[in-house]
Amino acid sequence: EITEIVEKRLEERDLKKRPDLKHLRKIAEIIGNPASYGKQYQPPAINPNFVPRQELQNKIKEHFKNKDQQILTLTAHGMGGMGKTTLASFFFQHPLHHYTIRAWFNAGSREQIYQQYLDLIVEIEGQDKRPSKELPIEKQALMVKKWLEEKQDCLLVFDNVEKAEDLDGLLPEQGKHHILITSRNAADLSLGSTVDVDVMTENEAIDLVVEIAGGKDKDAKLGYKEKNLDGLKDLVKTLGYLPLALAQAASYIRENPT
């Protein structure tokens, strides 16, 4: 929005071709997009078919609205395909605050986290800061935890945590960090507050199918939705409003138009 305002003002004053004003565009881009500053480790891929889930996104934003140390776990009562990772990824890419570091960990096992902790410190600080390889890997990972505790205002996302014990002793306890965890195991993980990620609403489900199968531009998608609304309602109901099933069905429809 800020970038659009700057471009409009330059156009109104017939200044768009002036090379000496390029810095204004860059400043607007940085201010308007917090994701463009701060160091990142292993950022997740951008989902081109992301459909807003406003109620859930608002809960995440509300939890992280201040800069105190916070932990939030996105759970889904044992079911996969609900969109936990997609929501976490969107928050990572569209942060509320300026974070000095944003790090994404594929946290399927404790061993994975160990290795990614070591990769993180090397990527941010350089090879010289890596703990000695002669130490046990758990000791090395705990040294990275201590390094994180000396930092301030980081966003740390641990995606797809299987067991609470995989995080035991590894989460920084100082530094005013925001820690976001996704897991299917609601009962096992009781770290911080939790948000239950359930199936989509009917409107969200329809929007997801339309986004994937409805064409390349906004007008095409709108026309597709209006033309097929009754059928879309039946489809999303049949699939139980489950994001993963909806995305797979929409991809099939896109590849096999009738």
Side-chain angles (χ1 to χ4, degrees):
E1 185 177 342
I2 293 174
T3 305
E4 291 175 1
I5 292 171
V6 169
E7 289 291 339
K8 185 176 181 181
R9 294 294 180 268
L10 291 175
E11 186 173 3
E12 288 172 353
R13 292 164 175 77
D14 197 25
L15 298 173
K16 292 194 75 170
K17 295 181 180 180
R18 281 184 51 179
D20 57 316
L21 295 177
K22 286 183 179 179
H23 67 284
L24 287 177
R25 295 188 177 93
K26 187 63 178 176
I27 291 170
E29 180 183 337
I30 292 172
I31 294 173
N33 178 19
S36 63
Y37 54 75
K39 295 180 179 179
Q40 296 184 59
Y41 168 72
Q42 209 166 251
I46 294 173
N47 181 356
N49 301 313
F50 178 79
V51 168
R53 301 181 69 178
Q54 212 58 58
E55 183 178 350
L56 290 170
Q57 288 172 247
N58 287 343
K59 287 180 179 180
I60 298 171
K61 289 179 181 178
E62 179 66 21
H63 189 83
F64 291 123
K65 69 180 180 181
N66 62 52
K67 289 200 171 185
D68 293 334
Q69 182 93 353
Q70 299 286 347
I71 298 176
L72 180 64
T73 302
L74 302 182
T75 64
H77 293 300
M79 292 188 66
M82 290 293 191
K84 302 179 302 299
T85 296
T86 300
L87 286 165
S89 175
F90 187 82
F91 183 76
F92 184 100
Q93 293 154 351
H94 301 84
L96 290 176
H97 312 291
H98 168 70
Y99 294 104
T100 56
I101 298 171
R102 283 176 291 143
W104 181 281
F105 304 102
N106 299 309
S109 71
R110 191 172 179 88
E111 289 71 26
Q112 276 186 290
I113 300 170
Y114 285 163
Q115 187 57 56
Q116 289 168 93
Y117 263 30
L118 297 174
D119 293 343
L120 167 67
I121 195 169
V122 169
E123 184 157 327
I124 301 298
E125 299 283 11
Q127 190 68 40
D128 291 346
K129 293 292 184 179
R130 189 194 191 283
S132 171
K133 294 181 181 179
E134 296 180 2
L135 296 170
I137 192 166
E138 181 171 9
K139 178 68 173 176
Q140 295 179 50
L142 291 175
M143 292 175 71
V144 176
K145 172 196 170 182
K146 185 176 179 181
W147 166 76
L148 280 169
E149 290 179 332
E150 295 169 355
K151 299 291 179 182
Q152 292 286 324
D153 303 319
C154 297
L155 173 63
L156 309 175
V157 181
F158 295 83
D159 184 44
N160 195 31
V161 175
E162 291 290 333
K163 301 175 292 185
E165 53 262 35
D166 287 342
L167 296 176
D168 281 353
L170 291 179
L171 300 182
E173 298 166 28
Q174 302 173 36
K176 295 185 178 180
H177 302 317
H178 288 173
I179 300 171
L180 182 59
I181 300 165
T182 75
S183 177
R184 287 190 247 176
N185 301 315
D188 190 39
L189 272 153
S190 57
L191 297 165
S193 301
T194 62
V195 169
D196 180 34
V197 180
D198 207 337
V199 296
M200 288 180 144
T201 66
E202 181 182 67
N203 286 337
E204 290 169 350
I206 290 172
D207 286 346
L208 177 58
V209 175
V210 171
E211 183 64 33
I212 296 172
K216 293 184 178 180
D217 58 57
K218 197 172 288 186
D219 289 340
K221 293 180 195 299
L222 181 60
Y224 179 86
K225 183 176 181 178
E226 291 177 347
K227 180 181 177 182
N228 299 285
L229 187 56
D230 290 340
L232 288 167
K233 288 182 178 181
D234 290 340
L235 174 65
V236 299
K237 183 178 180 180
T238 300
L239 295 176
Y241 310 104
L242 185 66
L244 180 60
L246 293 164
Q248 291 172 340
S251 296
Y252 179 83
I253 293 170
R254 181 184 60 198
E255 299 302 323
N256 299 274
T258 56

